Structure formats: C-alpha cells, structure tokens
Amino acid sequence: MIHKHYIDGKWVESSRGETFESLNPATGEVLGVLSQAGPKEVEAAVEAAARAFPSWRRFPAPKRGEILFRVAGILAQRKEELATLMTREMGKVLKEARGDVQEGIDMTYYMAAEGRRQFGQVVPAELPDKFSMAIRDPIGVVAAITPWNFPLAIPTWKLMPALITGNTAVLKPAEDTPLMACKLVEIFEEAGLPPGVLNLVLGAGDVGAMLVDHPKVNLISFTGSNDVGREIAIKAASSGKRVALEMGGKNAILVMADANLDLALDGIVWSSFGTSGQRCTAASRIIVHRDAREELAEKLVERVRALRLGNGLLETTDVGPVINQAQLDRIHGYTEVGVKEGAELLTGGKRYTEGECAKGFFYMPTLFNRVKPGMRIAREEIFGPTTALIEVSSIEEAIEVNNATSYGLSSAIYTRDIRKAFQAIQDITTGIVYINAGTIGAEIQLPFGGTRGTGNGHREAGTAALETYTEWKTVYIDYSGRLQRAQID
Ligand code: UN1
C-alpha cells in the first residue's frame, strides 16, 4: 500500500508516480512507502485550501472548536497506538513518544477551547455615540512545514491555532516522519473536518519550497534548521508573506556552586540526552561554576556511561537512535571538531553498534569537558546526544556566556539562592528560562519560541499563537448620525 496525499478531502497519489520510504531508525526496517508530491499536487492542495477558506472563515468558531475537540478525543483514545508508531518511525523512547502525543492532545484541547474565546478588544471611543473594537481575522492559506523530532506535537502547534482562527492549511511534514502526519490527517477526517480545510502533501524539501513560492500561500509556519528558515524568510520578505520561524537552539544549563548537584545532574541527563539530544530545547552546554565543576564532571560521566542505548520500544532503553545516517555523520563530525579544538572527551564520541543496534543509527551519549565558549561545539547546534562542560567563575560570567550565542531558545539555572535565580530571570536573554529544572519540557499554554537566530519574533503555543495566525481588524461604529471628526471635534 502506498500512503497518499490528502487534497480537498480525498486521498490521492502523485501523478508522477514517484515514491519514498519511511524507515525505522532503530532497525532500518521499511515502515511504509509514500507517494511523493510534485508541482501538480502542491498546486491542487493550495488551490483546495484557497477555495475552502471563504466558507471556513465564516464557519462559527465554536463549531470549529467542536471539530477540534473531537480530534483531541480521538488522539487521546489512540494515544498508545500513535506513540508506538512514533517510536518506530522517529526512534524516541516510548515514554517520550507518549509525551509527544500528549503534547498534541493538550494543544488540540487548548485551541479547541479558543473557539469560544479569541478575545478581541473593546475600548471606549473618544467621540459620543461611537463604538470601537478590534476583532481577529484569519490570514488565509497557511503552509505548515514541520520537522521530524516532534512528529505529532509540532504539527498540532501549527494546525490547531491556524484552523481554530479560520485559516485553511497545507501540511508538509518532514520526509523522515510522514506516517505520523498521515495519522493526524486521518483523525481530522474522522472528526468531520470539511474538505479542503486541511490538506497534506508528502515529500522532501522541494515540496516545502514549492509551498513557500506559491502565490496563494499567505502564511508560512516553519520549524527546522536555520539555513532553511533563513531562505524561507528571504523569499517571504520579497513576496510579502507572513512567516513564523522556529529554528535552532544552543541551550545551556547553568550550575552554580550552591546548587543541589544531584538535582542538577538529573536535569542535565534528561535535557542533554533525552530524545537523543534531538530537541531544539536540548541542553548542549553546561555552564558550571569552577567550585562545582570537578564534582559535577565526575558524577556526570558516571551517569552518562550508565545510559542504555537501544530500541525505544524496549522498557530498558534510556536513549534511542538518532534519526538517520546524515544526522549520525553530522553528530560524529562535531565530535571530531571538538577533539580538534582541544576539548577533553570524557565519554562517548562514537557510533554504537552493539548487538541489534548495529542495524540502526545509534550514537553514544557524548560529554566534553574543558570547553571554551568560543569553540564551535559551544556555538553551533549539534542536534544529537552531545553536551559540553564550560567552566566559569561567577553568575555574571555564566549569564554572559549563556547569552553570547547566535541562538536564544531555552536556558536553565540550578541554584539554591533566590537572588541568583532572579538575577538569571532578569538577565538571561532567551525565550524560555527554567529555575531548578532542565531546558526541555515547555508546556503548551504559554508562549514557546526564542530570541536571536532561534526565531523571527513570533511565538507558538498559548494565546501568543493567535497573534501569528490572525490579523487585527479594528472597527468603528458611529451611531451619532452626523459627521464626527476624530482628533478635531
Ligand atoms: C522542539 O524540540 O522542537 O519543550 C520542541 C520541549 C518540548 C517541545 C520541544 N515541549 O522540550
């Protein structure tokens, strides 16, 4: 069976007949064959979304919400099945895959409820017998281009706020995790979403590029690498499209000398090696006060060496594979860079090929010591199970090193001193700050996103997402029956 695109309420194969495969990164097993979109499918999908827009925007928002509530209910009912497929397709361990599905469920319920909110603004007018307010209007056709690391959660971050506010959409999921996207779209269909409101096109980056270029796409929401994000931003600027970007991170955990070190160790291991480090929120720098560095390094090596690699479906596995060969090579490339730059490799630094793992893309959790802030492994996003210890001598220096990167997503500080905690909240310049918790695990009801190279000022999740997917329409109603001149009369 070939998995198909979903266009205008129908599952269709590409006219060119080209296909690609989805692989299990833990075993190399082929999980499915998928139709690959060409220009014709992209055209049809965007046209369908554009045609569906006028009636969907007039469809009462609470009714749109009812459909989303049904989607959330089905997601919740099928959580285990979806999580298992996710582990097989993406590799993350089952408990994390359940978390990914749960994040999708949470976002769907949250945005479904926005069907009865989408608060506007009503303020007094400056003239008598005049009423003034601002209401939200949808933008039009949204292209949602999503990554493989959160194959269910991230599509919901984009689609739910887009659809609840009356936009229509075309989803282009990463080519490494298309089966999860097919499942999500099937669930929308089952929940009764009208044809054309959500369309799905499958394929590689060229399909995303066609969407970006299509004149009837009004808004591009992209999560992925900085290189691709920047290209999209340039194109969108010249065509006048709205674009919301979520890109890389080089997140740090700051460990002060007064920290509860065991707590910090838990946070570091979870944030650096959870999801095999393949989160944009992953901690790839540990900025530690010199008085705590030796003890932390010693204990951390022990903890990292104890992590068990394997198939994420096994209860005994702590760390699953990385997504594909190219990522494996890239991660190892950074190990070589670190060694060449003079950092001390404490553990890991190699591909892992024991037993069954030989068939998959496994990389040993890797820890570098004596890393300097200027080194490439301290500046560039690796997106794998690699983290770097950087020594500092004060909280001021720690914050300065934390902030001095071209990214700005998430930061964490471990300290028992309330003054240091507030100093960090005040002076850290990333979009997310954690106190006595690691850098990962943002919740969906608050803004998610980052400063500097991480994004372009937009935020996902929470009510902030409504800003991305709507335009303000300001309305003045003059019932005085005469000409009233603002700022003059
Ligand atoms: C991502 O890695 O792209 O905060 C998203 C977290 C998750 C989302 C990560 N809730 O780690």
Side-chain angles (χ1 to χ4, degrees):
M1 171 197 156
I2 292 180
H3 296 272
K4 302 182 174 98
H5 318 284
Y6 186 68
I7 298 172
D8 209 8
K10 289 185 200 68
W11 294 93
V12 293
E13 258 181 69
S14 148
S15 55
R16 298 191 302 189
E18 284 177 20
T19 59
F20 66 105
E21 290 174 341
S22 171
L23 298 183
N24 182 332
T27 62
E29 167 204 4
V30 176
L31 298 174
V33 178
L34 298 107
S35 181
Q36 185 170 317
K40 251 193 166 155
E41 289 68 46
V42 171
E43 179 67 24
V46 175
E47 283 296 341
R51 272 197 312 275
F53 177 58
S55 53
W56 183 245
R57 75 186 288 273
R58 283 196 298 268
F59 200 87
K63 295 257 180 266
R64 299 198 288 256
E66 282 172 22
I67 298 174
L68 264 58
F69 276 120
R70 285 202 290 277
V71 171
I74 302 170
L75 286 170
Q77 217 180 340
R78 292 173 58 180
K79 179 172 169 181
E80 203 54 29
E81 168 213 331
L82 294 166
T84 306
L85 176 62
M86 187 185 302
T87 294
R88 294 176 68 215
E89 188 176 42
M90 184 276 167
K92 65 174 76 177
V93 297
L94 196 50
K95 67 171 185 292
E96 290 187 35
R98 289 187 189 117
D100 189 323
V101 178
Q102 188 58 47
E103 196 162 348
I105 295 168
D106 296 344
M107 181 60 92
T108 308
Y109 274 125
Y110 183 93
M111 286 298 166
E114 278 301 323
R116 289 189 187 269
R117 282 194 293 261
Q118 296 182 40
F119 296 136
Q121 302 169 20
V122 179
V123 294
E126 61 184 49
L127 291 160
D129 299 329
K130 189 177 172 190
F131 185 87
S132 58
M133 64 180 172
I135 56 177
R136 290 185 186 278
D137 243 2
I139 311 276
V141 175
V142 173
I145 304 175
T146 57
W148 46 261
N149 68 333
F150 276 80
L152 192 84
I154 292 181
T156 69
W157 289 12
K158 301 187 187 309
L159 297 177
M160 302 310 168
L163 299 182
I164 198 65
T165 49
N167 300 280
T168 56
V170 181
L171 170 63
K172 205 303 272 181
E175 64 269 36
D176 287 300
T177 53
L179 293 176
M180 283 311 299
C182 293
K183 288 279 173 213
L184 177 62
V185 173
E186 276 170 33
I187 289 170
F188 268 107
E189 187 182 34
E190 190 184 329
L193 191 75
V197 172
L198 170 61
N199 305 273
L200 170 73
V201 284
L202 305 165
D206 60 320
V207 179
M210 285 185 250
L211 282 172
V212 169
D213 290 336
H214 198 292
K216 288 195 180 169
V217 166
N218 306 103
L219 189 167
I220 302 144
S221 178
F222 168 81
T223 299
S225 73
N226 277 66
D227 292 346
V228 175
R230 209 156 287 151
E231 257 177 61
I232 292 176
I234 290 166
K235 284 185 173 176
S238 59
S239 58
K241 290 176 190 172
R242 183 180 289 206
V243 57
L245 303 171
E246 282 298 338
M247 301 175 288
K250 191 69 196 174
N251 314 294
I253 295 180
L254 284 54
V255 184
M256 297 297 100
D258 62 51
N260 174 341
L261 272 198
D262 290 322
L263 187 66
L265 282 163
D266 286 344
I268 293 168
V269 171
W270 173 229
S271 303
S272 300
F273 305 109
T275 330
S276 306
Q278 302 170 111
R279 293 196 191 210
C280 53
T281 49
S284 57
R285 297 182 297 156
I286 312 301
I287 302 173
V288 53
H289 193 278
R290 64 164 177 246
D291 296 342
R293 208 241 331 137
E294 210 177 305
E295 189 184 345
L296 186 82
E298 221 167 82
K299 289 186 165 166
L300 191 54
V301 174
E302 224 173 274
R303 293 284 299 267
V304 175
R305 287 199 180 129
L307 292 170
R308 294 159 301 181
L309 280 102
N311 190 317
L313 291 176
L314 303 173
E315 271 300 319
T316 48
T317 300
D318 299 311
V319 179
V322 300
I323 190 72
N324 56 32
Q325 183 68 46
Q327 281 300 115
L328 193 66
D329 293 344
R330 186 185 146 87
I331 293 162
H332 187 63
Y334 273 106
T335 297
E336 289 174 342
V337 166
V339 169
K340 219 177 269 162
E341 284 179 311
E344 179 190 357
L345 180 62
L346 290 180
T347 185
K350 298 198 277 286
R351 185 173 181 172
Y352 183 75
T353 52
E354 291 295 310
E356 290 289 298
C357 290
K359 294 190 210 140
F361 309 117
F362 289 89
Y363 201 76
M364 288 174 73
T366 299
L367 181 61
F368 276 106
N369 193 18
R370 301 186 195 285
V371 176
K372 299 280 171 251
M375 290 180 179
R376 280 182 62 200
I377 58 165
R379 289 189 287 115
E380 297 175 20
E381 185 177 48
I382 300 173
F383 222 66
T386 301
T387 201
L389 286 164
I390 302 171
E391 184 181 300
V392 290
S393 14
S394 65
I395 181 162
E396 288 76 19
E397 190 187 348
I399 293 173
E400 195 183 310
V401 170
N402 178 68
N403 291 345
T405 72
S406 53
Y407 298 105
L409 184 54
S410 181
S411 315
I413 183 167
Y414 282 87
T415 177
R416 288 184 169 110
D417 181 344
I418 188 87
R419 294 182 61 239
K420 290 202 177 76
F422 273 88
Q423 198 177 339
I425 294 169
Q426 174 183 280
D427 293 336
I428 281 177
T429 55
T430 55
I432 304 171
V433 180
Y434 288 93
I435 308 297
N436 291 328
T439 53
I440 68 176
E443 301 179 19
I444 60 90
Q445 63 277 17
L446 284 168
F448 180 95
T451 59
R452 297 186 281 276
T454 292
N456 64 337
H458 289 274
R459 290 291 185 270
E460 302 203 273
T463 51
L466 302 180
E467 301 302 332
T468 300
Y469 294 96
T470 60
E471 201 83 79
W472 281 112
K473 181 189 277 171
T474 304
V475 184
Y476 298 103
I477 304 139
D478 191 321
Y479 53 97
S480 69
R482 60 181 184 278
L483 174 69
Q484 298 203 90
R485 296 167 303 177
Q487 293 93 34
I488 294 170
D489 293 335

